[in-house]
Amino acid sequence: MKYLKFPLVVQKEIFEHMIFEELFLLSLCSKRVKNLIHLVQKARIKRVNTITYFFAKNKNSTITVKSSSSERIMRMKKNKEKDGATENREEGDFSGSSLIYDLNHRDSTMETIHTLLKNFFEQVEYQIKSRDDLLPPNYLDIKNCEISLPRKISPHKLDVFFNNFPLREYVKIIGSFNGNLDPNSKLYEAEHLEIDGPLTQADDILYRFKGQNLYLENATFYDETIYYFLEMWKSGQGFQNLEKLVIRCGYLF
């Protein structure tokens, strides 16, 4: 179909019946098509305020856009294995509306998609939600993230991950880990930090947090830590940036 030869009013009518997944994939055809979509669908694209990357436990990923309602823009599936061998697909091959990718190239594939999305949706907030047993990729412009930690993750891997962690506005960590991270970890610089980690020793997290809001659920503390913190905070001698602290002890205490 020679779409670009249609009158503008016809092109606009066709675009109105397309979902974002179709518009985004169509924009990859050429720069001319992408510019036309931006021209005709400018108001609709501007209403998008959030893009979410969701990494599931089964290694598949979903990307959704949110304006007045949520709408999937892309589904990504890992290559399936048959008889011990990976299916013969090139990296980034499409099957229907799903992008099939090699698990070994997940981060590079996601980085390419992230760059394309930034070129299409120019002013939106990006967030990550991860339930995978692999740590999610790190992008400079992700403001919010929610991460379920892989089981039996080593403190060293966490230190490397968080020390390369761009400054976030909101971070939620789910899962137990050694709370004694690197003293200069950028995790402590998040504006809003939530940690739901049964049996996570959180004394150092409380001492070193530099943001405004700290929520700690099911974490453990030494009594002396709480006494010292309250004395310093109430007297104005420490923790001056902190506006709100919530500690939920739950069933552990």
Side-chain angles (χ1 to χ4, degrees):
M1 183 169 64
K2 297 180 179 180
Y3 180 81
L4 293 176
K5 292 190 176 182
F6 289 152
L8 186 60
V9 65
V10 176
Q11 294 172 338
K12 183 176 181 181
E13 189 68 22
I14 294 174
F15 283 154
E16 288 294 332
H17 288 81
M18 285 185 171
I19 60 175
F20 272 119
E21 183 176 15
E22 295 165 335
L23 287 174
F24 174 66
L25 293 178
L26 191 62
S27 74
L28 304 180
C29 292
S30 69
K31 188 174 181 180
R32 185 180 173 192
V33 172
K34 187 187 79 170
N35 291 338
L36 179 61
I37 294 173
H38 279 175
L39 174 66
V40 176
Q41 293 286 290
K42 184 177 181 179
R44 184 180 171 193
I45 292 173
K46 277 192 171 183
R47 287 196 294 269
V48 174
N49 50 45
T50 306
I51 292 180
T52 302
Y53 298 94
F54 179 75
F55 298 90
K57 285 185 177 180
N58 59 6
K59 302 292 188 301
N60 294 335
S61 307
T62 304
I63 304 173
T64 58
V65 297
K66 184 176 181 180
S67 50
S68 56
S69 60
S70 294
E71 184 178 320
R72 190 187 76 215
I73 192 170
M74 182 174 289
R75 179 186 288 126
M76 300 179 65
K77 295 182 178 180
K78 67 172 182 175
N79 272 346
K80 295 181 180 179
E81 294 184 354
K82 292 184 177 180
D83 300 326
T86 304
E87 281 188 55
N88 186 22
R89 287 187 180 275
E90 295 180 3
E91 180 185 353
D93 191 15
F94 275 92
S95 175
S97 62
S98 298
L99 176 67
I100 309 300
Y101 71 100
D102 187 338
L103 188 60
N104 295 324
H105 297 95
R106 183 201 68 171
D107 289 358
S108 61
T109 303
M110 285 299 301
E111 187 172 357
T112 300
I113 297 297
H114 184 59
T115 300
L116 293 171
L117 285 171
K118 286 196 298 181
N119 290 335
F120 187 76
F121 299 98
E122 295 177 355
Q123 294 183 343
V124 296
E125 289 189 2
Y126 293 88
Q127 62 183 17
I128 285 178
K129 292 185 178 182
S130 176
R131 299 292 183 270
D132 198 356
D133 55 7
L134 296 173
L135 288 171
N138 263 339
Y139 301 131
L140 289 173
D141 42 10
I142 301 290
K143 290 191 174 182
N144 305 320
C145 68
E146 183 178 305
I147 303 172
S148 290
L149 294 179
R151 290 184 179 183
K152 298 181 180 180
I153 187 168
S154 69
H156 174 70
K157 284 187 177 181
L158 273 181
D159 272 336
V160 171
F161 180 77
F162 288 129
N163 286 344
N164 293 313
F165 206 59
L167 184 62
R168 309 290 198 218
E169 291 183 3
Y170 170 87
V171 178
K172 182 173 182 178
I173 306 294
I174 303 171
S176 301
F177 67 99
N178 177 4
N180 300 320
L181 297 173
D182 189 302
N184 298 316
S185 174
K186 291 186 179 179
L187 178 66
Y188 299 134
E189 299 177 11
E191 291 182 22
H192 180 115
L193 176 61
E194 293 186 30
I195 295 180
D196 184 356
L199 303 180
T200 294
Q201 194 67 37
D203 301 82
D204 282 353
I205 296 172
L206 181 57
Y207 283 145
R208 293 169 177 161
F209 181 65
K210 301 173 184 176
Q212 298 175 355
N213 301 287
L214 179 61
Y215 289 71
L216 298 168
E217 188 157 356
N218 295 323
T220 59
F221 299 91
Y222 295 110
D223 292 343
E224 294 80 2
T225 297
I226 302 297
Y227 301 149
Y228 174 79
F229 167 78
L230 289 175
E231 181 180 352
M232 296 294 288
W233 194 24
K234 292 180 68 176
S235 65
Q237 298 179 54
F239 311 100
Q240 295 301 296
N241 291 334
L242 188 63
E243 296 178 0
K244 186 175 183 179
L245 170 67
V246 175
I247 299 177
R248 295 191 179 97
C249 297
Y251 63 89
L252 294 174
F253 298 93

